[in-house]
């Protein structure tokens, strides 16, 4: 991408599977062989694993371009740059079915608006092309489908969503009734510099990542979480954290002119107090000029309640809600999309 900057905005893919054998379902997708199945899939996407950690619930991989999470019946892949994320679908369906007897029952694809859309390769040159690729790739039995571009007041900040689900649905979201995806641009330059490696300190990779985690305050978002972090050379940062079956992830592209950071987590409304703390801490760490928050929920919680929770958490931090959109997806819940800008930037 010599003619432009690095694309921070991620593409995100979430696949759910089901099966009949309880002995397989106990570990499920976590039994996929790394070298023979996971690694070739990531090579098709054009990324690699740089660090990994696991617990009794799931495995989390930091990638050269973002993150991979593998649960027994769910896979989440999130990649940035010029990766070809959707090319992971066919091999994952094949490996899950032939080696584990698992069948795809739900697919969700989301992303923001690329900073450098002209640099994206097939099949990511446009959302229309992505939807066509998805429609032609996922099995026909996922017949409940919808594609949507959720707008904001700025044409450069839209939220793209595609969902496809079995009819009737063969899965449920009980453990993770909401997923929150936060995208931030125009980071405070002083705070963004914390994600540049320090010349001559002899640290790199995980050791430099640990320093960035502590220096930035990322370790204070959830003090109970196990963090797997990694620093890139000369700049950039990725982190996955796990707290029992809950995950969160952060990715930072700190270069001035196209600085970007993302934060994603899954949770439940019973964690409302923790959610407010996380939102405020994330804003404090990055002080973005613009921020979007997309909340996918399957819990039946009212959309207006989500609007109030998110806005109530971040507006006291100097951000103003500029737009609010809601959309419903068949058997896949609802999405609430909010955008914010910093009051300090507007006054400047």
């Amino acid at each position: 991408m010599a003619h432009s900057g690095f694309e921070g905005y991620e593409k995100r893919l979430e696949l759910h599977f089901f099966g009949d054998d309880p002995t397989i379902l106990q570990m499920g997708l976590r039994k996929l062989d790394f070298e023979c199945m996971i690694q070739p899939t990531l090579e098709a996407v054009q990324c690699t694993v740089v660090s990994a950690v696991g617990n009794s619930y799931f495995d989390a991989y930091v990638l050269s371009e973002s993150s991979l999470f593998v649960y027994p019946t769910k896979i989440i892949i999130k990649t940035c740059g010029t990766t070809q994320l959707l090319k992971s679908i066919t091999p994952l369906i094949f490996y899950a079915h032939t080696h584990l007897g698992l069948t795809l029952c739900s697919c969700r694809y989301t992303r923001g608006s690329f900073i450098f859309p002209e640099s994206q390769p097939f099949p990511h040159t446009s959302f229309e092309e992505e939807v066509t690729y998805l429609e032609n790739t996922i099995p026909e039995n996922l017949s409940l489908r919808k594609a949507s571009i959720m707008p904001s007041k700025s044409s450069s900040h839209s939220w793209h969503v595609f969902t496809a689900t079995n009819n009737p649905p063969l899965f449920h979201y009980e453990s993770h009734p909401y997923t929150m995806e936060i995208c931030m641009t125009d980071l405070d330059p002083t705070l963004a510099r914390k994600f540049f490696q320090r010349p001559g300190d002899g640290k790199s990779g995980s050791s430099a990542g640990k320093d960035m985690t502590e220096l930035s305050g990322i370790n204070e978002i959830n003090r109970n979480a196990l963090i797997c972090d990694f620093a890139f050379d000369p700049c950039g940062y990725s982190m996955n954290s796990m707290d029992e079956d809950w995950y969160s992830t952060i990715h930072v592209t700190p270069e001035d002119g196209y600085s970007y950071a993302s934060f994603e987590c899954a949770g439940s409304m019973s964690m409302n107090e923790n959610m407010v703390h996380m939102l405020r801490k994330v804003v404090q760490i990055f002080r973005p000029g613009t921020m979007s928050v997309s909340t996918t929920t399957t819990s039946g919680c009212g959309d207006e309640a989500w609007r109030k929770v998110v806005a109530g958490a971040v507006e006291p931090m100097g951000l103003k809600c500029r737009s609010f959109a809601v959309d419903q997806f068949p058997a896949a819940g609802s999405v609430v999309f909010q955008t914010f800008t910093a009051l300090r930037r507007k006054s400047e």
Side-chain angles (χ1 to χ4, degrees):
M1 300 182 67
H3 63 287
S4 63
F6 184 80
E7 180 60 67
Y9 271 95
E10 299 96 347
K11 316 164 185 87
R12 182 187 186 276
L13 180 68
E14 181 174 331
L15 303 175
H16 289 254
F17 296 80
F18 77 97
D20 298 323
D21 188 343
T23 59
I24 293 291
L25 292 175
Q26 187 173 4
M27 287 294 291
L29 298 165
R30 300 179 69 185
K31 294 181 71 175
L32 291 176
D33 184 84
F34 178 80
E35 291 187 0
C36 297
M37 300 175 198
I38 299 294
Q39 193 165 290
T41 299
L42 295 176
E43 288 174 357
V45 174
Q46 298 186 343
C47 60
T48 59
V49 171
V50 298
S51 188
V53 68
N55 63 13
S56 59
Y57 298 94
F58 68 101
D59 300 311
Y61 301 86
V62 175
L63 306 179
S64 54
E65 280 83 8
S66 301
S67 293
L68 164 67
F69 301 97
V70 182
Y71 288 80
T73 59
K74 175 175 69 176
I75 286 183
I76 299 168
I77 312 182
K78 188 170 186 172
T79 63
C80 57
T82 55
T83 50
Q84 296 169 285
L85 175 60
L86 296 183
K87 289 190 175 181
S88 67
I89 298 175
T90 297
L92 287 173
I93 292 174
F94 174 79
Y95 293 137
H97 184 68
T98 57
H99 294 270
L100 302 171
L102 299 178
T103 302
L104 183 70
C105 60
S106 172
C107 169
R108 181 188 298 273
Y109 175 70
T110 57
R111 68 167 175 85
S113 297
F114 296 128
I115 301 173
F116 306 107
E118 69 283 353
S119 298
Q120 291 298 315
F122 174 84
H124 298 284
T125 57
S126 69
F127 187 56
E128 290 76 16
E129 185 177 72
E130 291 170 322
V131 170
T132 299
Y133 187 92
L134 284 159
E135 295 273 13
N136 294 333
T137 303
I138 59 178
E140 292 182 358
N141 59 293
L142 275 66
S143 59
L144 298 175
R145 304 182 178 189
K146 181 174 179 178
S148 176
I149 300 178
M150 302 180 68
S152 71
K153 289 186 177 180
S154 169
S155 60
S156 61
H157 290 85
S158 299
W159 193 245
H160 305 71
V161 185
F162 173 87
T163 64
T165 308
N166 265 82
N167 187 15
L170 297 174
F171 71 103
H172 53 81
Y173 291 98
E174 283 184 5
S175 60
H176 294 163
Y178 82 77
T179 301
M180 183 175 291
E181 299 172 71
I182 301 176
C183 301
M184 297 167 281
T185 58
D186 191 16
L187 310 181
D188 182 286
T190 300
L191 299 177
R193 278 194 288 271
K194 296 180 181 180
F195 299 96
F196 283 79
Q197 289 201 33
R198 288 174 289 185
D201 69 355
K203 295 184 178 181
S204 62
S206 296
S207 60
K210 179 177 173 59
D211 286 351
M212 291 180 185
T213 298
E214 295 178 353
L215 182 65
S216 64
I218 287 174
N219 59 317
E220 297 174 4
I221 295 175
N222 179 2
R223 292 189 176 276
N224 297 322
L226 172 65
I227 293 177
C228 180
D229 38 24
F230 193 89
F232 297 91
D233 186 20
C235 64
Y237 169 90
S238 287
M239 175 278 277
N240 293 332
S241 78
M242 46 177 50
D243 182 2
E244 296 184 347
D245 66 330
W246 312 105
Y247 75 89
S248 68
T249 184
I250 291 176
H251 304 284
V252 186
T253 302
E255 291 96 327
D256 192 33
Y258 49 93
S259 60
Y260 171 84
S262 67
F263 173 81
E264 178 182 330
C265 67
S268 67
M269 278 303 290
S270 63
M271 302 170 66
N272 187 21
E273 187 175 327
N274 290 337
M275 187 197 316
V276 171
H277 165 77
M278 286 190 296
L279 282 164
R280 290 180 175 173
K281 193 64 187 176
V282 168
V283 172
Q284 180 183 357
I285 290 168
F286 297 107
R287 292 288 178 187
T290 63
M291 181 175 81
S292 69
V293 182
S294 172
T295 308
T296 301
T297 177
T298 58
S299 63
C301 176
D303 300 324
E304 180 64 17
W306 279 109
R307 184 192 70 79
K308 290 181 178 179
V309 167
V310 174
V314 303
E315 287 195 329
M317 305 294 292
L319 291 167
K320 177 66 176 178
C321 185
R322 302 299 179 184
S323 66
F324 169 73
V326 181
D327 207 345
Q328 306 288 331
F329 295 83
S334 64
V335 176
V336 176
F337 178 58
Q338 297 166 262
T339 62
F340 300 83
T341 58
L343 295 175
R344 62 177 173 85
R345 303 297 174 91
K346 185 176 181 180
S347 64
E348 290 169 359

